[in-house]
Every structure is written in C-alpha cells, then in structure tokens.
Amino acid sequence: MSIFSFFKNENESDVKKYSALHEKLQKEYPSMEEKELVITSCVAGLLARVAYVDFELDPGEMEQIKETLKNWSISSLVHSDLIAVMAIDHIKEMAGLENHLYVHPLKEHLNSDDRFKLLKALFILAASDGEVASVESEEIRTITKGLELSNQHFLAARAEVATFLKALK
C-alpha cells in the first residue's frame, strides 16, 4: 500500500464522516435524484450552520429554516420539518467542521443568481430571532466567499436586514 493510497482512504472516510446529512437524506428519500439530494442537504446544512453558529437555536430560526426549505425544495418528496430537524442535529454534532462540504457542491449546481438568493435567505434566517448577531454575519461572510460571490453580494444581502444588525444598534 502506497502512502498516497493511505491518504486517499483517509480522505474518503473523512468525507463520509462529514457528509452524514447527505447520507441521512439519501436513506430517508431513496428515490430522490442525486442533484436534488446534494442541493437539499447543502442548503439545509448552511441554514442550520447560520442558525446555530452562536450555539443557540431560537424557535423563530427553526421556523425560518423550515420555510426556507419549503421554498428551496426542488422535489415534491421533501418534508421541510424533518429535514430542518436533521440538519440542526447534524450541525450540533459537527460544530462547523463541514461547512466546506456544503458550499463547494452548490457552486456546481446553482448559478450565481441562485447562490445570491441563498445568501439573502441566510440573512433573513439570521434576522428571524430579532437581530443579526455579528457572529452570524461573519459566518455568512465566510459562506459568501465559499460560494464565490463578491463582497458586493454580501453587502446587498445584508442591507435587506440592516434594521436587524446588532453591530449597528
């Protein structure tokens, strides 16, 4: 066994470990197409990450995740309540280790307009508890970079929730 094979196997086990949300969705929705699974798991994961970045989950945030998943669902099979709970549970387990696994597939499957739409949804989620905390805004900034959107995209999306920005209060 070469050293490269060792790292290849190690890397594959990490991907399986960190993509548990995708695997759970695949088990729950075995007839869903792979692209739908990827988009749904990635969007749910990012929503859960922003909602739980401060290690608290407000009931308003959970309701907003469910509503956003209903709007983003590209499959009639999806039950947003179930996926929201799965995503939050997953994020609590992983503590932010998987963020890169959520943004990279979305760059492949979503055009820039849809990625910007997701960015706006993340800010709306952050504001759903009455304020956008600095830690939430910075997490969304990191996601913006991962989605290969510009700082102008970030500022435009954040402007839609300006009255909720904690840093401005």
Side-chain angles (χ1 to χ4, degrees):
M1 176 192 233
S2 75
I3 191 162
F4 296 113
S5 297
F6 173 78
F7 285 117
K8 181 177 185 244
N9 292 337
E10 183 72 18
N11 197 16
E12 286 174 6
S13 68
D14 282 349
V15 169
K16 284 185 179 181
K17 178 179 161 187
Y18 296 135
S19 63
L21 182 56
H22 178 272
E23 289 180 22
K24 288 177 185 177
L25 286 175
Q26 194 170 34
K27 287 178 185 173
E28 189 67 33
Y29 302 105
S31 62
M32 190 184 294
E33 291 184 31
E34 180 63 17
K35 180 180 177 181
E36 294 171 334
L37 281 169
V38 169
I39 292 173
T40 302
S41 63
C42 290
V43 169
L46 290 176
L47 290 166
R49 178 65 188 143
V50 169
Y52 197 69
V53 71
D54 58 0
F55 301 108
E56 294 178 20
L57 182 64
D58 184 84
E61 290 174 322
M62 186 58 139
E63 289 307 311
Q64 188 61 46
I65 290 172
K66 292 174 185 178
E67 185 63 31
T68 302
L69 286 172
K70 282 180 194 173
N71 294 336
W72 269 89
S73 176
I74 58 175
S75 172
S76 60
L77 300 172
V78 171
H79 294 79
S80 63
D81 291 5
L82 174 65
I83 294 173
V85 170
M86 290 168 64
I88 290 294
D89 289 346
H90 178 67
I91 290 300
K92 287 179 178 179
E93 291 171 18
M94 298 309 299
L97 296 175
E98 71 302 309
N99 291 354
H100 66 285
L101 294 176
Y102 296 137
V103 294
H104 294 299
L106 290 175
K107 291 186 299 189
E108 178 182 333
H109 293 295
L110 299 178
N111 63 37
S112 62
D113 289 340
D114 286 337
R115 293 192 313 265
F116 180 57
K117 179 181 164 190
L118 175 58
L119 193 65
K120 291 191 288 188
L122 293 173
F123 270 111
I124 291 168
L125 167 65
S128 66
D129 63 354
E131 68 180 24
V132 177
S134 296
V135 67
E136 292 170 324
S137 184
E138 287 309 309
E139 185 65 24
I140 296 170
R141 183 184 304 277
T142 301
I143 292 168
T144 301
K145 291 176 186 175
L147 291 173
E148 294 182 353
L149 293 172
S150 69
N151 193 49
Q152 286 77 12
H153 286 105
F154 172 81
L155 294 173
R158 189 177 71 170
E160 293 193 16
V161 295
T163 59
F164 296 97
L165 293 173
K166 188 174 182 180
L168 298 179
K169 290 182 178 181

